[in-house]
């Protein structure tokens, strides 16, 4: 279920796995920004899409392993994972991963979309780590005896994400610490929790950038700011609880993240959702330093030990946690990039087999009113999704 | 031979198949529009190209199957097929297909290019259904006992084709009915025939569109026409006859299609061939509603039961069947997008083995004179093709 | 180790192989042009990249074989090889190759990057044959008895390279003759050598082109020059010596190439390195005919029969061999596209296993001072590379 691993660590020659997700979606109004499979086309409020089409090839030797994964959809064919791992023959106590891999931050980023109960990762993680991957190197430590519930990862990455050669000279560092207790309370209870740090920077391409003054943004201008590396720091915590009870398996997962995110202003060419999203190329306009918070809670309840499970999710992303929504749009340099969004998701999955899954899911996407013309009330951007997934 | 099926419906783990077509082509003049592998470059009248490079991965389980196919050529790597099928364990009486699949319209669209005797599909089908595929869902019914010669498909698709998220909010519907009698007259005669319907629409992005008045096009203008969905309706019929005789197998295939196609005007930036081709993005200019007809006849004759076969084809595409060619270019809003083209093709194939095939083929492409400066006589756009194909 | 062959010529069903190269690189100044994995981004002097991610699928039958290879990196997914080979059942005396394959010119072009000791091909070959491949057909002859040390290839190709449909109507011809004596001096000495010719042309898209007058370039203008095909002729020679001695295997490889290369002038939008690089689309500006020379010497020494090898390389590319560097930038139409570059490379490889290799390598890139503002001294463009490679 970890994206940063081959299909199995048993020694094997080339093995091909993958999964396909095809779905129909309906939204409330055409052309909305969406974190449920990407924005809708300007005049479209419903669509069939191939959400993910993954082909993964891996191989494990005594001392090393390799993973190579591509994604093929109507949007093109792209490399998703490409990493080499070095490890000891009998265990993975120390492991070096080099190449293109999932950033080891928190729980949901590294967890495979082919196994996740919910259709998408939360809005906050899609914003701060779009497409999850980056290129670099990672050292992992997982003790094998007394402390085998422990896992530590430290990674150095470009910071510019999946489809980019680095555009600045700074690297970003990620640290992750997680604990996992697998079989408590008569093997019915499984608990995991952890914490993560991201320390990075974003290059400013202009002579100005904006900082939060509590009531909006202040512009800072100086020739030396061109080329300055502004902080990009995140802190996160996560917990997972699974309980196998007589009604069926109950699973609760939650994650919280906060930090400083360098973004830009929303404008006619940059939507609010993109204004605070991490960059893969040098942003052309002034940077805005925003203090953000985000979280999600995911609850899955198997129904009477059947093939049906009920899904309930709630997530929040506040790109500017110091600003009340009713102040956004006043003469304080705030834009649609500062608006907080909450999403209430609920639905069902039906497992035809271990390989085939049907998901029916609705998302109620909520924003508070602001002073901005287009956001003076909750915009109509709920999304309904029916997805069929096959894992091979 | 159907693109909408795995390599075989026998239960199997991942299987990789595919085919590669590499060819040399010579045309009469540089830079022509062509339906024989795409337009020639501005100053080129001959070329080596990789026509198709297909890699197909499929898997069949008791209740489901999956097909995933990419196409890799000098023009890039793209997803071609990606669909999941649900069916009963022992038969395919009812089958649901979801994802990216070939539109179930007529015979030649769904028939694999790796098995077709002729190098390309006919001009009319390349125009109304470019690249054959669309994203959606399809229900198929094939009785297993008394009526097992029957097949019915009903599909709902985006309507915008292979490489697109839907750009409007309307879906298109396709219905197909076909009959197949496989072993008549001492198992020497095989007959198939069928009919198809396509009911769809194309969104108009401007306040005007053009309709046929019998002597050309009339412009209709109204603010409400912006966003109007104009009809895109096709009707088709097809027949296939194969006879295994003492001279060698004889095969005759023919298909006819007619309907209404929303296109645009040809202009300096839009060639005549593209003016009536179905869109995958919102057309920027006024739509033109054209009544079209098209057909092909394919005759293959094996030579003395040898590895040689002779090929003979004739196809016609008339994008505007109400307009005589000599009226095109008069002051009636007609353009190069209204010109009828006929193609006479003839050649040979040699089967080195079941996997390896050499095709030598010439196409005589004919248009009648119009009043348009560039089309006042038959333009010199014949194409000669030598193709080597390997199927693996 | 030849790119123009399947993984093995033994008859086999589909086989998947490939290799992944991931690396960290540091250069002396941000934004340099580089032949060590491509140019650095404008503000970046170090980077993690996926250098090559190859997936190769091949199959060999009695009379034919097929190779299909894609490359997936952060820069996208592209077709690399796609060819069909026809041959006799028991030997490859005569072999026809059709499709997309490596140009059979010299030694290093055809030699696989997954097996080469050095991280990259030399600057001269990356310039005259970028990405090595072209589409066409090749006839090869390799005697099986008395003359089995001999190999002859003759190919006809588009001339426009890997990602292009031909943009002119002329084809280019390549001839290659090589000799290989494998087990001399008690099977300890292996010697190979050969010579190659490339006869081609580049279409001029303007009414002018420039020729070398000994002191710079003279402009030739005439309406008839638009569409003229200017000569693109190369001549090359190569030698390889390997000696298995008590200290470890010693390998020396050298290659020399000279000829006439049609390029363009360097400008604010075309870097010096790109000005003399072969084109895959019609160049928009006037052509410059340059007499060039280039060579490389590669020395690999295994250390005490261990898994360590020392690498030493020297290569030179002089795009304009008739011009002294101190005259470049005078009023003689010379540009940064005429500057000679030499590279001294040195490093180590460590073979963890037959599949896994670590390379640490530094390149000292040297240019002589010119009269051009940006090139009045040796520019700071050395590159250090640490690469991990897995071959599967």
């Amino acid at each position: 279920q970890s994206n940063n691993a081959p299909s199995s660590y048993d020694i094997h020659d080339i093995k091909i796995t993958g999964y396909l997700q095809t779905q129909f979606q309906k939204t409330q109004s055409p052309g909305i920004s969406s974190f449920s499979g990407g924005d809708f086309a300007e005049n479209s409020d419903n669509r069939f899409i191939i959400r993910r089409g993954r082909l993964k090839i891996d191989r494990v030797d005594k001392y090393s392993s390799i993973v190579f994964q591509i994604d093929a959809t109507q949007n093109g064919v792209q490399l998703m994972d490409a990493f080499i791992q070095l490890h000891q023959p009998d265990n993975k106590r120390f492991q070096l991963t080099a190449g293109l891999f999932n950033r080891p931050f928190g729980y949901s980023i590294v967890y495979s979309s082919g196994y996740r109960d919910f259709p998408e990762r939360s809005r906050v993680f899609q914003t701060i780590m779009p497409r999850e991957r980056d290129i670099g190197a990672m050292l992992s430590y997982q003790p094998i005896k007394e402390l085998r519930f422990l896992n530590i990862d430290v990674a150095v990455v470009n910071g510019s994400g999946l489809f980019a050669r680095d555009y600045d000279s700074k690297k970003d560092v990620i640290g992750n610490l997680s604990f996992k207790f697998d079989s408590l309370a008569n093997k019915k209870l499984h608990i995991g929790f952890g914490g993560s740090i991201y320390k990075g920077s974003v290059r400013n391409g202009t002579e100005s950038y904006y900082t939060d003054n509590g009531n909006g943004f202040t512009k800072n201008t100086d020739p030396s700011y061109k080329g300055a590396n502004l902080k990009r720091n995140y802190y996160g915590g996560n917990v997972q609880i699974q309980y196998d009870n007589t009604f069926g398996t109950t699973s609760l997962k939650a994650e919280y993240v906060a930090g400083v995110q360098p973004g830009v202003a929303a404008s006619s060419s940059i939507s609010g959702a993109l204004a605070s999203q991490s960059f893969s190329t040098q942003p052309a306009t002034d940077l805005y330093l925003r203090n953000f918070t985000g979280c999600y809670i995911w609850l899955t309840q198997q129904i009477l030990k059947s093939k049906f499970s009920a899904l309930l999710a709630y997530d929040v992303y506040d790109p500017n946690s110091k600003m009340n929504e009713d102040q956004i749009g006043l003469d304080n340099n705030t834009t649609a990039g500062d608006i907080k969004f909450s999403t209430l998701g609920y639905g069902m999955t039906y497992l035809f087999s271990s390989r085939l899954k049907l998901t029916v899911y609705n998302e109620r996407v909520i924003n508070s009113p602001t002073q901005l013309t287009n956001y003076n009330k909750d915009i109509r951007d709920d999304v309904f999704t029916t997805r069929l997934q096959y894992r091979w």
Side-chain angles (χ1 to χ4, degrees), chain A:
Chain A
Q1 287 114 332
S2 166
N3 274 331
N4 288 341
S7 55
S8 138
Y9 274 114
D10 297 334
I11 291 178
H12 62 264
D13 202 343
I14 283 177
K15 188 168 174 192
I16 299 179
T17 56
Y19 57 93
L20 174 64
Q21 297 174 341
T22 176
Q23 65 194 31
F24 175 76
Q25 295 184 295
K26 175 89 181 74
T27 180
Q28 289 180 301
S29 31
I32 60 157
S33 285
S34 175
F35 286 83
S36 306
D39 298 349
F40 281 73
E42 191 185 352
N43 298 299
S44 173
D45 66 7
N46 68 80
R47 64 185 179 195
F48 289 104
I49 59 169
I50 304 296
R51 179 61 185 97
R52 293 179 180 91
R54 298 290 168 83
L55 186 64
K56 179 173 175 170
I57 294 168
D58 60 41
R59 191 181 196 285
V60 175
D61 298 315
K62 204 172 170 188
Y63 293 96
S64 56
S65 51
I66 182 131
V67 171
F68 194 72
Q69 186 177 230
I70 61 167
D71 182 47
T73 72
Q74 65 278 325
N75 304 323
V77 181
Q78 289 166 325
L79 182 65
M80 287 306 281
D81 290 307
F83 55 83
I84 299 166
Q85 292 187 320
L86 307 186
H87 45 68
Q88 288 156 285
D90 301 328
N91 64 69
K92 310 283 166 300
R93 200 149 39 165
F94 283 101
Q95 181 162 284
L96 175 74
T97 303
L100 173 65
F101 54 85
N102 280 247
R103 298 172 183 104
F105 188 96
Y107 179 83
S108 70
I109 287 286
V110 177
Y111 195 91
S112 166
S113 293
Y115 286 87
R116 191 177 52 241
D117 292 330
F118 293 80
E120 304 295 339
R121 289 183 181 82
S122 61
R123 178 182 283 252
V124 60
F125 283 108
Q126 289 194 52
T127 301
I128 63 175
M129 295 184 185
R131 304 222 73 175
E132 302 85 53
R133 279 86 174 163
D134 207 337
I135 311 178
M138 173 169 67
L139 191 66
S140 304
Y141 173 64
Q142 184 166 16
I144 46 170
K145 293 198 175 166
E146 286 78 12
L147 299 168
R148 67 176 193 278
F149 51 80
L150 178 70
N151 188 79
I152 302 174
D153 300 305
V154 178
V156 181
V157 297
N158 279 338
S160 46
L162 178 55
F163 301 123
R165 294 183 174 195
D166 202 2
Y167 65 85
D168 67 15
S169 296
K170 298 279 181 179
K171 298 288 161 281
D172 294 0
V173 177
I174 311 170
N176 190 59
L177 173 66
S178 68
F179 299 84
K180 202 173 177 185
F181 299 92
D182 243 1
S183 299
L184 308 175
N186 252 344
K187 304 196 169 180
K188 288 184 166 175
L189 183 63
H190 315 271
I191 295 182
F193 53 92
S196 312
I197 296 179
Y198 188 105
K199 299 285 269 185
S201 64
V202 174
R203 187 180 177 278
N204 192 37
T206 68
E207 297 186 354
S208 301
Y209 69 93
Y210 289 78
T211 44
D212 196 312
N213 60 21
N215 291 311
F217 291 101
T218 305
K219 187 172 186 172
N220 310 284
T221 304
D222 190 286
S224 74
Y225 294 160
K226 179 158 185 166
N229 290 280
L230 305 189
K231 274 186 198 169
R232 175 188 176 189
N233 291 345
Y234 314 148
Y235 305 90
N238 62 82
V239 60
Q240 303 86 41
I241 300 169
Q242 183 185 317
Y243 184 54
D244 303 329
N245 53 66
T246 51
F247 190 71
T249 298
T250 307
S251 156
L252 179 77
K253 299 178 178 183
E255 198 160 356
Y256 177 85
V257 57
V260 180
Q261 170 78 332
V264 293
S267 67
S268 58
S269 59
I270 299 172
S271 73
L274 290 177
S276 66
Q277 194 172 46
S278 297
F279 307 102
S280 58
T281 55
Q282 175 68 54
T285 54
D286 300 342
L287 291 186
Y288 281 65
L289 278 181
R290 294 189 183 96
N291 291 282
F292 74 94
T293 56
C295 67
Y296 68 82
I297 301 170
W298 286 342
L299 180 67
T300 307
Q301 177 62 56
Q302 192 187 7
I303 307 293
L304 294 172
K305 301 208 166 184
S306 72
K307 293 178 166 184
F308 285 96
S309 291
L311 307 177
L312 183 64
Y314 185 68
D315 81 63
V316 178
Y317 172 53
D318 189 350
N320 190 336
S321 52
K322 292 191 176 169
M323 183 68 59
N324 281 332
E325 263 48 41
D326 56 14
Q327 291 182 282
I328 294 174
L330 296 177
D331 187 20
N332 55 9
N333 292 319
T334 52
T335 63
D338 297 288
I339 302 172
K340 169 176 154 180
F341 280 84
S342 309
T343 304
L344 175 69
Y346 47 88
M348 297 279 276
T349 60
Y350 178 74
L351 283 170
F352 290 91
S353 70
S354 62
R355 298 185 175 283
L356 190 60
K357 185 170 76 171
L358 175 70
T359 305
V360 176
Y361 195 71
N362 192 54
E363 282 162 292
R364 176 89 188 80
V365 184
I366 307 144
N367 60 287
S368 296
T370 71
Q371 309 301 324
L372 296 164
T373 320
N374 296 325
Y375 296 89
N376 53 14
K377 56 182 178 182
D378 181 25
I379 55 171
R380 293 175 55 77
D381 53 356
D382 296 0
V383 179
F384 170 80
T385 300
T386 302
R387 175 186 292 179
L388 198 60
Q389 171 182 296
Y390 187 99
R391 215 169 56 229
W392 35 294

